[in-house]
Amino acid sequence: MTSRQADIGVVGLAVMGANLALNLAESGNRVAVYNRTTSVTDAFMEDGAAELDIQAATTYGELIGFLGSPRVLLLMVKAGAPVYAVIGDLAPLLEPGDIIIDGGNSLYTETVRRQEELAALGIRFIGMGISGGEEGARHGPSLMPGGDPEAWPVVADMLRSIAARAPDGTPTVDWVGPGGAGHFVKMVHNGIEYGDMQVIAEAYDLLRRGLGLEPGEMAGIFAGWNAGRLRSYLIEITAQILDTTEGGKPLIDVILDAAGQKGTGKWTVIASMDLGQATTLVAEAVYARIVSSDPERRQRAARIYDSPTRRLEGVGVEDIEAALYASKIVSYAQGFRLMRAASEEFGWDLDLGTVASLWRAGCIIRAAFLEDITAAYRTNPGLEDILEEPFFSEAIRSAEASWRKVVGGAVVAGIPVPAYASALAYFDALRSPRLPANLIQAQRDFFGAHTFERVDRARGEFFHHDWAGSQDSTDAPG
């Protein structure tokens, strides 16, 4: 323990907060900590923290007294009302120029509101996405700070000291943008994470039910994939999970097939709808978890509909790998388009190459794949869609035949592949010069006089047809 003024105060000593506090201290920063439940603080200090440059406070006033000026506070509490409550307790104790960092998974719109409210008091606010789980927090996470840009120079070196290092040695932290940019980027990261987990789960299901492989055999396949273009943290741990036994039997076989969720995937889909961007794969990943969460209902349906699940015909392991890879490309393309749209809507000026670079290490979706995305945006900062970038378009073309084979085979076999199928449907819609939306718009005009544009007239001109009569279409009122 030290009596010197601390560089940062950490509020909340659950797993993430405790590990970040230890990371900060071991990286050369002086740290003060506080937890509402004093026994949690005592246990943290007794578990080795007292040997580091960490001071423990029992009240907010004592915590503030430990900090140098400007005071920097990192909140690691549950998103939502608890964040508001802590800020409400801390704000009266702070002075203009002090900094609050919210390191939880807060909804970006709440971050915007908090920054505005605190700015009126002269307090600088950062909403910072943190990815990497408890191991990342302890040994190097990916950090996505955004909010008051005047706060960044004060905390930049401290955050760089604890961040993970990408393969080129760059710390996986950089200023993302103003307002809610940091938490928005983290939200999309989590949405993509939902998608990544779903496409891996579908591969597992296809290998298990479609090809009849055992977990141990699949572990070897995933380990092999992790040595190639699918190399990533999630593929790596999937191989380890499938190779884990309990009592001589695969542990995966006794885990209930009901997936939980905390809401960031749902927020991503809602934001995509608000911004008019399709995130179909993330949406299907969220819905797949919802369907999985009621196993009793699925058991009843299985008794009513006894359609057999067949083995895949004419589909090999290499086809499943290609379908996974192609679907993953589509998911990331959708996520990056969503961030681009948000940047334009809110004036954030996001550097998508920087965003991709922050995810190369430390975070849950870290993957070799992100090096390719980073390179694409570094080469062309104005890239609108990674599906139009030569590296990825060639990858899609090379995987397309296998992708279609897998989706078609899964449909015949009765094995659900919502992520693969939705990604393929999106790809097919995207590459279609003409879609049946003309009929939809005609229907809208028929029953609601919603008007339509014409292919033989300039965009922006709208027409209405007297569908019940015989008159020609007329210009719609301006």
Side-chain angles (χ1 to χ4, degrees):
M1 182 181 293
T2 179
S3 60
R4 295 181 297 163
Q5 287 187 311
D7 300 310
I8 188 169
V10 178
V11 178
L13 292 174
V15 173
M16 289 292 289
N19 281 354
L20 283 167
L22 293 171
N23 188 351
L24 282 160
E26 291 181 347
S27 298
N29 304 288
R30 299 184 297 273
V31 181
V33 297
Y34 169 85
N35 195 82
R36 180 181 59 179
T37 305
T38 306
S39 60
V40 173
T41 307
D42 293 340
F44 172 72
M45 296 302 292
E46 291 168 3
D47 195 29
E51 300 174 6
L52 300 171
D53 204 348
I54 297 177
Q55 302 176 83
T58 56
T59 66
Y60 284 130
E62 186 179 18
L63 177 68
I64 298 303
F66 285 154
L67 301 175
S69 183
R71 302 177 184 94
V72 178
L73 291 150
L74 172 60
L75 310 188
M76 295 303 300
V77 299
K78 188 176 180 180
V83 176
Y84 275 112
V86 172
I87 290 175
D89 290 337
L90 286 171
L93 305 176
L94 300 178
E95 299 175 350
D98 288 345
I99 298 168
I100 294 177
I101 305 172
D102 174 15
N105 278 329
S106 292
L107 183 60
Y108 75 99
T109 51
E110 294 181 358
T111 300
V112 173
R113 184 163 58 250
R114 288 170 186 147
Q115 184 189 340
E116 292 172 348
E117 292 170 352
L118 289 169
L121 303 174
I123 298 170
R124 296 175 285 186
F125 185 73
I126 292 175
M128 182 170 70
I130 302 176
S131 181
E134 57 183 278
E135 283 299 310
R138 184 69 179 84
H139 302 293
S142 170
L143 304 171
M144 294 149 263
D148 187 335
E150 293 183 2
W152 173 239
V154 180
V155 302
D157 287 343
M158 187 161 30
L159 297 180
R160 290 186 185 115
S161 74
I162 66 169
R165 294 295 186 271
D168 62 3
T170 306
T172 54
V173 59
D174 206 340
W175 187 247
V176 174
H183 274 144
F184 189 93
V185 166
K186 177 53 163 54
M187 177 193 74
V188 175
H189 164 286
N190 283 20
I192 290 173
E193 181 182 310
Y194 273 62
D196 274 358
M197 295 171 76
Q198 181 63 28
V199 296
I200 291 171
E202 290 178 17
Y204 156 75
D205 199 17
L206 291 166
L207 292 170
R208 189 69 189 270
R209 292 199 289 168
L211 300 186
L213 301 181
E214 293 298 320
E217 297 174 287
M218 289 186 283
I221 290 170
F222 277 97
W225 288 354
N226 197 49
R229 61 184 179 178
L230 289 175
R231 180 168 58 85
S232 64
Y233 172 72
L234 287 170
I235 292 288
E236 177 186 354
I237 67 169
T238 298
Q240 294 177 17
I241 290 167
L242 293 171
D243 203 34
T244 300
T245 59
E246 182 180 78
K249 297 180 179 180
L251 179 58
I252 190 69
D253 287 347
V254 299
I255 296 176
L256 181 67
D257 55 330
Q261 55 182 313
K262 292 186 175 180
T264 46
K266 175 186 71 176
W267 292 349
T268 301
V269 177
I270 293 172
S272 75
M273 292 181 176
D274 289 340
L275 292 165
Q277 297 295 319
T279 55
T280 58
L281 194 146
V282 176
E284 291 296 346
V286 173
Y287 290 133
R289 293 194 188 193
I290 292 172
V291 172
S292 80
S293 68
D294 192 352
E296 292 79 13
R297 182 186 179 195
R298 289 187 284 111
Q299 292 297 329
R300 292 196 305 271
R303 290 191 292 271
I304 296 169
Y305 302 104
D306 58 354
S307 302
T309 297
R310 303 181 179 90
R311 291 291 176 88
L312 288 170
E313 296 291 339
V315 173
V317 170
E318 68 283 356
D319 295 313
I320 296 172
E321 187 270 352
L324 194 166
Y325 187 59
S327 299
K328 183 182 177 81
I329 292 173
V330 168
S331 183
Y332 280 71
Q334 292 178 342
F336 275 80
R337 280 189 64 84
L338 176 57
M339 289 188 287
R340 179 185 177 89
S343 181
E344 293 174 353
E345 176 71 17
F346 304 123
W348 288 339
D349 194 25
L350 294 182
D351 183 334
L352 296 181
T354 294
V355 170
S357 73
L358 300 183
W359 297 347
R360 293 178 296 164
C363 70
I364 301 301
I365 64 171
R366 60 186 182 268
F369 180 83
L370 282 156
E371 294 285 354
D372 301 320
I373 296 179
T374 300
Y377 280 106
R378 291 285 183 252
T379 301
N380 181 9
L383 181 64
E384 293 188 12
D385 192 329
I386 65 172
L387 290 173
E388 299 175 7
E389 198 277 335
F391 176 86
F392 292 104
S393 60
E394 179 54 37
I396 289 286
R397 279 193 291 268
S398 67
E400 185 178 351
S402 290
W403 194 9
R404 294 188 186 282
K405 187 191 302 183
V406 168
V407 172
V411 170
V412 172
I415 300 173
V417 285
Y420 294 177
S422 69
L424 182 57
Y426 173 83
F427 167 71
D428 282 336
L430 193 64
R431 65 176 191 81
S432 296
R434 189 162 174 82
L435 292 168
N438 53 335
L439 176 58
I440 294 171
Q441 198 60 24
Q443 291 169 330
R444 295 183 72 240
D445 188 56
F446 190 109
F447 64 69
H450 292 294
T451 74
F452 53 85
E453 295 173 278
R454 299 176 60 104
V455 297
D456 56 357
R457 301 292 287 271
R459 289 299 305 268
E461 291 186 58
F462 293 89
F463 300 85
H464 170 63
H465 184 75
D466 179 12
W467 298 96
S470 58
Q471 298 178 5
D472 290 340
S473 303
T474 58
D475 289 330

PDB file of all heavy atoms in Angstrom, residues 390-410:
ATOM      1  N   PRO A 390     -11.239  -6.301 -53.145  1.00  0.00           N
ATOM      2  CA  PRO A 390     -10.793  -7.465 -53.919  1.00  0.00           C
ATOM      3  C   PRO A 390     -10.460  -8.707 -53.093  1.00  0.00           C
ATOM      4  O   PRO A 390     -10.830  -9.826 -53.471  1.00  0.00           O
ATOM      5  CB  PRO A 390      -9.563  -6.937 -54.666  1.00  0.00           C
ATOM      6  CG  PRO A 390      -9.835  -5.477 -54.825  1.00  0.00           C
ATOM      7  CD  PRO A 390     -10.546  -5.060 -53.576  1.00  0.00           C
ATOM      8  N   PHE A 391      -9.757  -8.542 -51.964  1.00  0.00           N
ATOM      9  CA  PHE A 391      -9.386  -9.710 -51.164  1.00  0.00           C
ATOM     10  C   PHE A 391     -10.621 -10.477 -50.712  1.00  0.00           C
ATOM     11  O   PHE A 391     -10.695 -11.715 -50.827  1.00  0.00           O
ATOM     12  CB  PHE A 391      -8.558  -9.282 -49.944  1.00  0.00           C
ATOM     13  CG  PHE A 391      -8.219 -10.408 -49.008  1.00  0.00           C
ATOM     14  CD1 PHE A 391      -7.099 -11.189 -49.219  1.00  0.00           C
ATOM     15  CD2 PHE A 391      -9.038 -10.702 -47.913  1.00  0.00           C
ATOM     16  CE1 PHE A 391      -6.790 -12.250 -48.354  1.00  0.00           C
ATOM     17  CE2 PHE A 391      -8.745 -11.752 -47.055  1.00  0.00           C
ATOM     18  CZ  PHE A 391      -7.615 -12.521 -47.276  1.00  0.00           C
ATOM     19  N   PHE A 392     -11.615  -9.749 -50.210  1.00  0.00           N
ATOM     20  CA  PHE A 392     -12.803 -10.406 -49.672  1.00  0.00           C
ATOM     21  C   PHE A 392     -13.757 -10.868 -50.766  1.00  0.00           C
ATOM     22  O   PHE A 392     -14.405 -11.910 -50.628  1.00  0.00           O
ATOM     23  CB  PHE A 392     -13.512  -9.479 -48.680  1.00  0.00           C
ATOM     24  CG  PHE A 392     -12.714  -9.254 -47.421  1.00  0.00           C
ATOM     25  CD1 PHE A 392     -12.037  -8.065 -47.217  1.00  0.00           C
ATOM     26  CD2 PHE A 392     -12.606 -10.245 -46.468  1.00  0.00           C
ATOM     27  CE1 PHE A 392     -11.288  -7.859 -46.070  1.00  0.00           C
ATOM     28  CE2 PHE A 392     -11.858 -10.063 -45.318  1.00  0.00           C
ATOM     29  CZ  PHE A 392     -11.192  -8.865 -45.119  1.00  0.00           C
ATOM     30  N   SER A 393     -13.845 -10.116 -51.847  1.00  0.00           N
ATOM     31  CA  SER A 393     -14.719 -10.565 -52.937  1.00  0.00           C
ATOM     32  C   SER A 393     -14.192 -11.852 -53.554  1.00  0.00           C
ATOM     33  O   SER A 393     -14.959 -12.751 -53.919  1.00  0.00           O
ATOM     34  CB  SER A 393     -14.862  -9.475 -54.002  1.00  0.00           C
ATOM     35  OG  SER A 393     -13.613  -9.135 -54.576  1.00  0.00           O
ATOM     36  N   GLU A 394     -12.877 -11.992 -53.652  1.00  0.00           N
ATOM     37  CA  GLU A 394     -12.304 -13.228 -54.166  1.00  0.00           C
ATOM     38  C   GLU A 394     -12.532 -14.374 -53.185  1.00  0.00           C
ATOM     39  O   GLU A 394     -12.817 -15.508 -53.580  1.00  0.00           O
ATOM     40  CB  GLU A 394     -10.808 -13.048 -54.414  1.00  0.00           C
ATOM     41  CG  GLU A 394     -10.107 -14.295 -54.938  1.00  0.00           C
ATOM     42  CD  GLU A 394     -10.753 -14.873 -56.199  1.00  0.00           C
ATOM     43  OE1 GLU A 394     -11.218 -14.076 -57.058  1.00  0.00           O
ATOM     44  OE2 GLU A 394     -10.806 -16.119 -56.321  1.00  0.00           O
ATOM     45  N   ALA A 395     -12.437 -14.070 -51.894  1.00  0.00           N
ATOM     46  CA  ALA A 395     -12.687 -15.097 -50.882  1.00  0.00           C
ATOM     47  C   ALA A 395     -14.130 -15.598 -50.961  1.00  0.00           C
ATOM     48  O   ALA A 395     -14.393 -16.803 -50.845  1.00  0.00           O
ATOM     49  CB  ALA A 395     -12.397 -14.545 -49.488  1.00  0.00           C
ATOM     50  N   ILE A 396     -15.067 -14.684 -51.171  1.00  0.00           N
ATOM     51  CA  ILE A 396     -16.473 -15.063 -51.306  1.00  0.00           C
ATOM     52  C   ILE A 396     -16.675 -15.922 -52.556  1.00  0.00           C
ATOM     53  O   ILE A 396     -17.365 -16.957 -52.526  1.00  0.00           O
ATOM     54  CB  ILE A 396     -17.382 -13.820 -51.353  1.00  0.00           C
ATOM     55  CG1 ILE A 396     -17.447 -13.142 -49.983  1.00  0.00           C
ATOM     56  CG2 ILE A 396     -18.779 -14.183 -51.842  1.00  0.00           C
ATOM     57  CD1 ILE A 396     -18.278 -13.870 -48.960  1.00  0.00           C
ATOM     58  N   ARG A 397     -16.088 -15.495 -53.659  1.00  0.00           N
ATOM     59  CA  ARG A 397     -16.238 -16.258 -54.901  1.00  0.00           C
ATOM     60  C   ARG A 397     -15.697 -17.679 -54.745  1.00  0.00           C
ATOM     61  O   ARG A 397     -16.305 -18.645 -55.219  1.00  0.00           O
ATOM     62  CB  ARG A 397     -15.539 -15.541 -56.056  1.00  0.00           C
ATOM     63  CG  ARG A 397     -16.357 -14.414 -56.675  1.00  0.00           C
ATOM     64  CD  ARG A 397     -15.760 -13.974 -57.996  1.00  0.00           C
ATOM     65  NE  ARG A 397     -14.478 -13.302 -57.802  1.00  0.00           N
ATOM     66  CZ  ARG A 397     -14.335 -11.986 -57.651  1.00  0.00           C
ATOM     67  NH1 ARG A 397     -15.399 -11.207 -57.692  1.00  0.00           N
ATOM     68  NH2 ARG A 397     -13.148 -11.443 -57.489  1.00  0.00           N
ATOM     69  N   SER A 398     -14.573 -17.814 -54.086  1.00  0.00           N
ATOM     70  CA  SER A 398     -13.969 -19.140 -53.937  1.00  0.00           C
ATOM     71  C   SER A 398     -14.769 -20.029 -52.982  1.00  0.00           C
ATOM     72  O   SER A 398     -14.718 -21.259 -53.086  1.00  0.00           O
ATOM     73  CB  SER A 398     -12.526 -19.010 -53.435  1.00  0.00           C
ATOM     74  OG  SER A 398     -12.491 -18.504 -52.112  1.00  0.00           O
ATOM     75  N   ALA A 399     -15.516 -19.409 -52.069  1.00  0.00           N
ATOM     76  CA  ALA A 399     -16.282 -20.194 -51.090  1.00  0.00           C
ATOM     77  C   ALA A 399     -17.721 -20.427 -51.520  1.00  0.00           C
ATOM     78  O   ALA A 399     -18.423 -21.256 -50.923  1.00  0.00           O
ATOM     79  CB  ALA A 399     -16.276 -19.470 -49.740  1.00  0.00           C
ATOM     80  N   GLU A 400     -18.172 -19.725 -52.565  1.00  0.00           N
ATOM     81  CA  GLU A 400     -19.601 -19.694 -52.882  1.00  0.00           C
ATOM     82  C   GLU A 400     -20.202 -21.068 -53.154  1.00  0.00           C
ATOM     83  O   GLU A 400     -21.288 -21.408 -52.653  1.00  0.00           O
ATOM     84  CB  GLU A 400     -19.851 -18.766 -54.075  1.00  0.00           C
ATOM     85  CG  GLU A 400     -21.322 -18.591 -54.395  1.00  0.00           C
ATOM     86  CD  GLU A 400     -21.556 -17.618 -55.553  1.00  0.00           C
ATOM     87  OE1 GLU A 400     -20.584 -16.946 -55.994  1.00  0.00           O
ATOM     88  OE2 GLU A 400     -22.703 -17.547 -56.016  1.00  0.00           O
ATOM     89  N   ALA A 401     -19.535 -21.887 -53.948  1.00  0.00           N
ATOM     90  CA  ALA A 401     -20.101 -23.198 -54.294  1.00  0.00           C
ATOM     91  C   ALA A 401     -20.290 -24.053 -53.040  1.00  0.00           C
ATOM     92  O   ALA A 401     -21.345 -24.685 -52.857  1.00  0.00           O
ATOM     93  CB  ALA A 401     -19.202 -23.906 -55.305  1.00  0.00           C
ATOM     94  N   SER A 402     -19.300 -24.068 -52.167  1.00  0.00           N
ATOM     95  CA  SER A 402     -19.411 -24.842 -50.926  1.00  0.00           C
ATOM     96  C   SER A 402     -20.486 -24.272 -50.019  1.00  0.00           C
ATOM     97  O   SER A 402     -21.254 -25.009 -49.382  1.00  0.00           O
ATOM     98  CB  SER A 402     -18.064 -24.849 -50.191  1.00  0.00           C
ATOM     99  OG  SER A 402     -17.115 -25.629 -50.882  1.00  0.00           O
ATOM    100  N   TRP A 403     -20.554 -22.960 -49.952  1.00  0.00           N
ATOM    101  CA  TRP A 403     -21.549 -22.263 -49.131  1.00  0.00           C
ATOM    102  C   TRP A 403     -22.960 -22.697 -49.539  1.00  0.00           C
ATOM    103  O   TRP A 403     -23.781 -23.055 -48.697  1.00  0.00           O
ATOM    104  CB  TRP A 403     -21.344 -20.777 -49.348  1.00  0.00           C
ATOM    105  CG  TRP A 403     -21.979 -19.814 -48.417  1.00  0.00           C
ATOM    106  CD1 TRP A 403     -22.626 -20.069 -47.238  1.00  0.00           C
ATOM    107  CD2 TRP A 403     -21.996 -18.393 -48.595  1.00  0.00           C
ATOM    108  NE1 TRP A 403     -23.054 -18.882 -46.683  1.00  0.00           N
ATOM    109  CE2 TRP A 403     -22.676 -17.848 -47.480  1.00  0.00           C
ATOM    110  CE3 TRP A 403     -21.500 -17.526 -49.575  1.00  0.00           C
ATOM    111  CZ2 TRP A 403     -22.881 -16.462 -47.342  1.00  0.00           C
ATOM    112  CZ3 TRP A 403     -21.685 -16.165 -49.430  1.00  0.00           C
ATOM    113  CH2 TRP A 403     -22.367 -15.640 -48.325  1.00  0.00           C
ATOM    114  N   ARG A 404     -23.229 -22.672 -50.844  1.00  0.00           N
ATOM    115  CA  ARG A 404     -24.552 -23.073 -51.332  1.00  0.00           C
ATOM    116  C   ARG A 404     -24.808 -24.562 -51.070  1.00  0.00           C
ATOM    117  O   ARG A 404     -25.924 -24.970 -50.724  1.00  0.00           O
ATOM    118  CB  ARG A 404     -24.664 -22.775 -52.826  1.00  0.00           C
ATOM    119  CG  ARG A 404     -24.623 -21.287 -53.158  1.00  0.00           C
ATOM    120  CD  ARG A 404     -24.932 -21.021 -54.623  1.00  0.00           C
ATOM    121  NE  ARG A 404     -24.740 -19.600 -54.927  1.00  0.00           N
ATOM    122  CZ  ARG A 404     -25.616 -18.646 -54.615  1.00  0.00           C
ATOM    123  NH1 ARG A 404     -26.741 -18.969 -54.004  1.00  0.00           N
ATOM    124  NH2 ARG A 404     -25.363 -17.384 -54.911  1.00  0.00           N
ATOM    125  N   LYS A 405     -23.776 -25.363 -51.242  1.00  0.00           N
ATOM    126  CA  LYS A 405     -23.909 -26.803 -51.008  1.00  0.00           C
ATOM    127  C   LYS A 405     -24.278 -27.081 -49.548  1.00  0.00           C
ATOM    128  O   LYS A 405     -25.147 -27.920 -49.256  1.00  0.00           O
ATOM    129  CB  LYS A 405     -22.605 -27.505 -51.376  1.00  0.00           C
ATOM    130  CG  LYS A 405     -22.683 -29.035 -51.338  1.00  0.00           C
ATOM    131  CD  LYS A 405     -21.310 -29.661 -51.454  1.00  0.00           C
ATOM    132  CE  LYS A 405     -20.579 -29.248 -52.735  1.00  0.00           C
ATOM    133  NZ  LYS A 405     -19.261 -29.946 -52.834  1.00  0.00           N
ATOM    134  N   VAL A 406     -23.631 -26.370 -48.642  1.00  0.00           N
ATOM    135  CA  VAL A 406     -23.879 -26.574 -47.217  1.00  0.00           C
ATOM    136  C   VAL A 406     -25.291 -26.130 -46.839  1.00  0.00           C
ATOM    137  O   VAL A 406     -26.025 -26.860 -46.153  1.00  0.00           O
ATOM    138  CB  VAL A 406     -22.833 -25.819 -46.373  1.00  0.00           C
ATOM    139  CG1 VAL A 406     -23.249 -25.771 -44.899  1.00  0.00           C
ATOM    140  CG2 VAL A 406     -21.467 -26.480 -46.501  1.00  0.00           C
ATOM    141  N   VAL A 407     -25.694 -24.933 -47.277  1.00  0.00           N
ATOM    142  CA  VAL A 407     -27.025 -24.436 -46.930  1.00  0.00           C
ATOM    143  C   VAL A 407     -28.107 -25.335 -47.533  1.00  0.00           C
ATOM    144  O   VAL A 407     -29.064 -25.724 -46.848  1.00  0.00           O
ATOM    145  CB  VAL A 407     -27.205 -22.972 -47.386  1.00  0.00           C
ATOM    146  CG1 VAL A 407     -28.659 -22.521 -47.212  1.00  0.00           C
ATOM    147  CG2 VAL A 407     -26.268 -22.047 -46.607  1.00  0.00           C
ATOM    148  N   GLY A 408     -27.952 -25.689 -48.804  1.00  0.00           N
ATOM    149  CA  GLY A 408     -28.927 -26.578 -49.437  1.00  0.00           C
ATOM    150  C   GLY A 408     -28.975 -27.934 -48.777  1.00  0.00           C
ATOM    151  O   GLY A 408     -30.058 -28.490 -48.523  1.00  0.00           O
ATOM    152  N   GLY A 409     -27.806 -28.491 -48.468  1.00  0.00           N
ATOM    153  CA  GLY A 409     -27.758 -29.798 -47.825  1.00  0.00           C
ATOM    154  C   GLY A 409     -28.366 -29.778 -46.438  1.00  0.00           C
ATOM    155  O   GLY A 409     -29.050 -30.723 -46.027  1.00  0.00           O
ATOM    156  N   ALA A 410     -28.136 -28.678 -45.704  1.00  0.00           N
ATOM    157  CA  ALA A 410     -28.696 -28.560 -44.356  1.00  0.00           C
ATOM    158  C   ALA A 410     -30.218 -28.493 -44.399  1.00  0.00           C
ATOM    159  O   ALA A 410     -30.902 -29.075 -43.550  1.00  0.00           O
ATOM    160  CB  ALA A 410     -28.130 -27.323 -43.666  1.00  0.00           C
TER     161      ALA A 410
END
